[in-house]
């Protein structure tokens, strides 16, 4: 949360005002994130120095699981719509998302408190879902939940393929030596 999913920037304005992954750890020179999280999202981000591996994971339909806090109490109808795919805007064009798995969570998941910058209101009801997608378009989940009338309040990626966030702490970096679950 509050950090761009990139090592640095070539833009002076971003360098002055934004935070980057390079603050977290002394990473190898050629490391890059596999996929991205937007600045207001949280959770698991895999990194590699192997561009071919990054491309393979991004294009191979690997499952990505997110816990999503929604504004208001989501309906069964909206869950069905999300599951079947919804039309969202993507770079000025309409795009229909692929079918995905959506599960209503009866209890809020055990996550660290949200960043105060999220301004999660206490006066409105919220609900939580787990959503598993096999694609990853620009701000896809936020656009999907908005399209069915339940904007995303908080978004946490908890799994990519067989690699899960589990008990990692905020801003923790841990090496993964075997990425075979993706092949």
């Amino acid at each position: 949360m509050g950090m761009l999913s990139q090592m640095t920037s070539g833009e002076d304005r971003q360098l002055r005002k934004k935070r980057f992954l390079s603050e977290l750890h002394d990473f190898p020179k050629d490391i890059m994130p596999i996929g991205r999280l937007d600045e207001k999202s949280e959770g698991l981000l895999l990194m590699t120095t192997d561009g071919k591996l990054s491309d393979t994971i991004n294009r191979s339909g690997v499952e990505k699981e997110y816990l999503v806090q929604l504004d208001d109490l989501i309906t069964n109808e909206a869950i069905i719509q999300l599951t079947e795919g919804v039309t969202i805007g993507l770079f000025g064009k309409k795009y229909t998302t692929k079918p995905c798995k959506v599960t209503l969570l009866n209890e809020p998941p055990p996550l660290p408190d949200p960043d105060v910058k999220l301004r999660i209101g206490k006066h409105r009801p919220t609900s939580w879902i787990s959503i598993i997608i096999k694609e990853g378009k620009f701000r896809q989940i936020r656009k999907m939940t908005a399209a069915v009338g339940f904007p995303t309040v908080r978004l946490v990626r908890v799994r990519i393929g067989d690699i899960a966030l589990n008990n990692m702490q905020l801003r923790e970096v841990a090496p993964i030596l075997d990425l075979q679950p993706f092949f």
Side-chain angles (χ1 to χ4, degrees), residues 141-159:
I141 291 177
R142 291 181 186 281
K143 291 177 180 182
M144 289 171 68
T145 64
V148 297
F150 297 89
T152 296
V153 175
R154 187 174 182 196
L155 181 63
V156 183
R157 183 164 51 205
V158 294
R159 181 174 63 83

Side-chain angles (χ1 to χ4, degrees), residues 122-135:
K122 303 285 186 211
H123 62 284
R124 291 180 54 104
T126 63
S127 51
W128 283 89
I129 59 172
S130 163
I131 186 165
I132 300 172
I133 61 175
K134 290 187 176 184
E135 55 184 339

Side-chain angles (χ1 to χ4, degrees), residues 86-135:
V86 295
T87 301
I88 61 173
L90 192 62
F91 305 113
K93 297 181 180 174
K94 292 189 183 285
Y95 175 80
T96 302
T97 61
K98 294 178 181 172
C100 63
K101 298 176 191 169
V102 180
T103 307
L104 177 64
L105 303 178
N106 294 322
E107 304 268 331
L111 295 169
D113 289 338
D115 191 295
V116 293
K117 294 178 195 166
L118 287 179
R119 297 186 198 155
I120 297 173
K122 303 285 186 211
H123 62 284
R124 291 180 54 104
T126 63
S127 51
W128 283 89
I129 59 172
S130 163
I131 186 165
I132 300 172
I133 61 175
K134 290 187 176 184
E135 55 184 339

Side-chain angles (χ1 to χ4, degrees), residues 47-58:
M47 300 181 69
T48 184
T49 56
D50 183 345
K52 195 172 201 171
L53 174 66
S54 176
D55 189 58
T56 299
I57 291 171
N58 284 329

